[in-house]
Amino acid sequence: MIPLMHPALVRTQAFINGDWYSAVSQKTFAVNNPATGELIAQVADLSSLDAQHAIESAAIAQPVWAQKTAKERSILLRRWFDLVMENQADLAQILTAEQGKPIAESMAEIAYGASYIEWFAEQAKRINGDIIPPSRSNQRISVLQQPVGVVATITPWNFPNAMLARKLAPALAAGCTVVAKPAAETPFSALALAQLAQQAGIPAGVINIVTSSDAPAIGAEFTGHPAVRKISFTGSTAVGKLLIQQCAADVKRITLELGGNAPFIVFDDADIDAAVAGAMVAKFRNAGQTCVCANRFYVQRSIYNAFSAKLSAAMQELCVGNGVNEQVSVGPLISAAAIQKVQQLVDDAIAKGAVVSCQIPVNIEKGYFYPPTLLTNVSVDSDLLEAEIFGPVAALIPFDTEADVIAQANCSVYGLAAYCYTRDYQRIQRLTEELQTGMLGINTGLISNEMAPFGGIKQSGWGREGSIYGLDDYLNIKYINESF
Ligand code: SIN
C-alpha cells in the first residue's frame, strides 16, 4: 500500500458525472509499481460503451459550466489549486508508486501541474473579445471567444499529473468540459486530481476520468463521437498520426504534443560546468523519459574530452533505485519493454563504434532499472540519433563548426526542444533564428513552466500548452458583423 495521510486519495474506479464508476463489464486491469513489480491495485477497465456514458455526461455539463461567469470558474480552479498543493506530499507518493520517479521529482511535478491550474485560474478572467474598426460607419465588427465544447484528452505515463493538469486547467478556464483517458500504467494520479476537483466544488460532469487498458477503443470512441469537439493528446508521433486520421472524419480540432529528439549543443566558449549541470537535468530528469530530454549531445571538438570527463564525473553522483528513497535520483523505466528498447538502441550504437565511457551500476533484482550510461564516439548513423531514447543514456558526438552543428541538429523529423550552451551573443541570435524547434533553452537545461508556450514543430506536434497561447486551442472565434 502507498503510505498516505489521506489514503482515500487512491481510487480504483473511474470517475464519471461526479460518481465513482465501475465498468459495465465489471472488468479491471492491474497497475504495478515499476520499481518493485508489485501490484498497486486493480482499476476499472472501461469499454467504449462506458466512454460514451462519460462523453454524454460531459456534454450535458458543458453548457451549464460555460454559463458560469469567468470569475466563478476562476474561483473554483483556484480552490482546486489550493487543494492540490495541500495534498502535494500524498499526490507525490501516489505518483512515485505508479510511475517510479524519485520522490523529489514527484513533489516537483505536483507543483508543476498545479502551477497550470493556478495560472489558468487567473487567465480565465482574461478571455476577452475584440472590437475591430469597420469599413463602414454604420457597421460594427466584433469578435467573441467561446468554448469549443467537450474536450477529450489522452495523456501519457511519464507525467501523469502535470500533463493532465496542463490540459484540464485551460479547458475548464475556457468553459469546456473534459473526458480524460490517463495512461493505463498510471491512472491513480488522474483519479486523485479528479477527486480534489470535486472537493473544490467543480460540478459533476465537468471532469470525467475514463480508466481503461484498451487505448485504441477509447481513442476511437473519443475521436468518433460527435459530441467531442476537440482532442488533446500527449504521446507518440505514431499515435498522433492515427488520431489526426480519426479526427478527419468530422473535422475535430486536435492539439498534439508528440515525440522529440532534442539536440543539446555545447560550444567551445561555453561555461563547461554550467553545461554539465544543464545536461544532467536535460538528460536524467525522470530517468530520461521526457519528450524534451536531451537526446543528442553535440560537443565542439576542442572541449569534447573535457565535457565528457566532467559529465562522467557528475554521473557518478547518480543514485539509481526505488524513488521512495530520498537519496535516489534515477528511478526505474516504466516497463520491461522500455528497457529492451533502450538496450537495442545502445547495442546498435556500440555495433557502430560507440564506446561506453561510463555506466552507473544497478544492483537491484526487481523492477525495471536501466543503468545511466554515457556513450562517446557515437557514429552519426546510429539509430539513437533518430529515435527518442526515452532512457538514461547520453550520446556524445563531436562537431567542428557552427554551421555543421546547426545542420545536424535540424536533421530530424522532430522539432520539440533544443538546448545550446555558449557565451557568444551574436551566435545566440543566429541559433535562435536557425534552429528548427518549438522551444529553445539557451544556457539552461530546464525550459518547462506554466507561463511559457510548450509545444513543437514538424512531427513534434500542433498547438501550444501553457501560457496565453495555451487557451487558444480551447476557444472558437466567432466574428459578428452588425449593421445599424
Ligand atoms: C513531456 O515529456 O511531454 C513533458 C515534459 C515537460 O513538461 O517538461
Side-chain angles (χ1 to χ4, degrees):
M1 271 321 292
I2 311 169
L4 300 182
M5 274 170 296
H6 299 105
L9 274 173
V10 178
R11 308 303 304 220
T12 57
Q13 288 169 295
F15 185 69
I16 298 182
N17 204 24
D19 289 326
W20 298 101
Y21 177 96
S22 298
V24 168
S25 67
Q26 297 299 316
K27 278 192 189 160
T28 59
F29 62 96
V31 180
N32 297 314
N33 181 328
T36 61
E38 284 160 12
L39 177 73
I40 301 173
Q42 291 283 337
V43 172
D45 197 358
L46 273 56
S47 66
S48 51
L49 197 72
D50 299 306
Q52 252 176 48
H53 173 47
I55 294 167
E56 281 151 19
S57 304
I60 291 168
Q62 197 273 322
V64 185
W65 177 244
Q67 272 162 23
K68 285 195 181 296
T69 63
K71 188 163 176 175
E72 285 169 332
R73 288 199 300 274
S74 167
I75 289 168
L76 291 172
L77 283 167
R78 175 71 210 195
R79 259 191 228 146
W80 184 25
F81 161 78
D82 289 337
L83 282 171
V84 170
M85 290 311 291
E86 278 165 31
N87 288 277
Q88 184 182 14
D90 275 358
L91 294 172
Q93 289 290 346
I94 292 171
L95 211 172
T96 291
E98 65 180 349
Q99 201 277 341
K101 67 181 60 177
I103 195 72
E105 283 194 35
S106 290
M107 288 291 282
E109 179 177 337
I110 303 305
Y112 176 45
S115 73
Y116 287 100
I117 303 176
E118 182 187 41
W119 202 89
F120 284 106
E122 292 155 3
Q123 201 60 18
K125 294 178 285 187
R126 298 184 189 103
I127 302 174
N128 303 325
D130 207 357
I131 303 285
I132 296 173
S135 56
R136 296 194 310 271
S137 58
N138 64 340
Q139 190 184 38
R140 168 161 300 189
I141 293 177
S142 54
V143 175
L144 289 188
Q145 298 211 80
Q146 297 182 306
V148 297
V150 175
V151 173
T153 68
I154 304 174
T155 45
W157 49 261
N158 63 343
F159 286 83
N161 176 295
M163 293 305 96
L164 181 58
R166 186 154 90 184
K167 297 182 192 304
L168 286 174
L172 267 57
C176 301
T177 54
V178 178
V179 285
K181 154 113 185 38
E185 294 85 347
T186 55
F188 299 113
S189 290
L191 294 167
L193 268 180
Q195 186 178 165
L196 292 172
Q198 184 178 46
Q199 214 174 309
I202 292 177
V206 172
I207 296 176
N208 304 276
I209 309 288
V210 176
T211 51
S212 179
S213 64
D214 192 349
I218 304 300
E221 188 59 42
F222 282 1
T223 51
H225 199 297
V228 174
R229 290 314 316 152
K230 181 195 163 62
I231 303 284
S232 179
F233 170 68
T234 297
S236 73
T237 295
V239 173
K241 288 179 184 177
L242 187 69
L243 291 171
I244 293 171
Q245 285 171 7
Q246 292 177 346
C247 284
D250 61 352
V251 195
K252 274 192 180 53
R253 291 178 65 174
I254 181 161
T255 297
L256 299 167
E257 202 263 275
L258 306 176
N261 182 2
F264 187 108
I265 307 170
V266 189
F267 289 93
D268 58 7
D269 59 33
D271 174 340
I272 298 186
D273 293 325
V276 167
M280 293 299 290
V281 177
K283 183 68 249 182
F284 296 107
R285 181 165 77 115
N286 201 11
Q289 302 172 108
T290 88
C291 302
V292 291
C293 266
N295 209 58
R296 306 169 276 160
F297 286 88
Y298 295 107
V299 185
Q300 203 150 15
R301 203 173 297 275
S302 57
I303 56 157
Y304 185 85
N305 288 339
F307 179 84
S308 156
K310 286 190 175 209
L311 185 58
S312 174
M315 285 174 63
Q316 305 304 319
E317 304 298 313
L318 293 174
C319 174
V320 182
N322 187 333
V324 290
N325 302 322
E326 280 181 5
Q327 69 275 21
V328 162
S329 51
V330 178
L333 299 192
I334 194 68
S335 63
I339 293 192
Q340 207 180 0
K341 186 198 134 192
V342 174
Q343 190 58 54
Q344 269 169 9
L345 290 171
V346 169
D347 289 345
D348 168 78
I350 293 171
K352 291 172 180 161
V355 172
V356 178
S357 288
C358 158
Q359 194 159 54
I360 307 303
V362 177
N363 300 313
I364 306 165
E365 276 171 22
K366 287 189 283 182
Y368 307 125
F369 294 95
Y370 193 87
T373 303
L374 174 60
L375 297 175
T376 50
N377 290 344
V378 174
S379 159
V380 289
D381 61 349
S382 303
D383 291 349
L384 52 60
L385 300 188
E386 286 191 5
E388 266 192 302
I389 302 173
F390 246 61
V393 176
L396 265 57
I397 309 110
F399 73 89
D400 291 306
T401 67
E402 183 184 308
D404 246 15
V405 79
I406 290 175
Q408 288 188 68
N410 287 343
C411 183
S412 170
V413 296
Y414 298 107
L416 187 60
Y419 307 87
C420 301
Y421 276 76
T422 174
R423 287 186 273 210
D424 180 336
Y425 179 75
Q426 298 298 333
R427 169 176 283 150
I428 289 173
Q429 303 316 305
R430 291 192 294 274
L431 294 168
T432 300
E433 291 296 328
E434 289 174 36
L435 285 172
Q436 296 167 3
T437 184
M439 298 177 281
L440 178 57
I442 307 271
N443 296 322
T444 177
L446 190 61
I447 53 175
S448 311
N449 60 63
E450 77 280 16
M451 59 283 276
F454 190 104
I457 60 170
K458 303 204 272 187
Q459 292 192 27
S460 289
W462 291 342
R464 292 294 178 271
E465 296 193 304
S467 82
I468 50 166
Y469 305 100
L471 266 173
D472 294 348
D473 285 353
Y474 297 95
L475 292 165
N476 285 331
I477 287 178
K478 184 184 280 173
Y479 142 60
I480 300 130
N481 187 327
E482 188 185 340
S483 286
F484 47 85

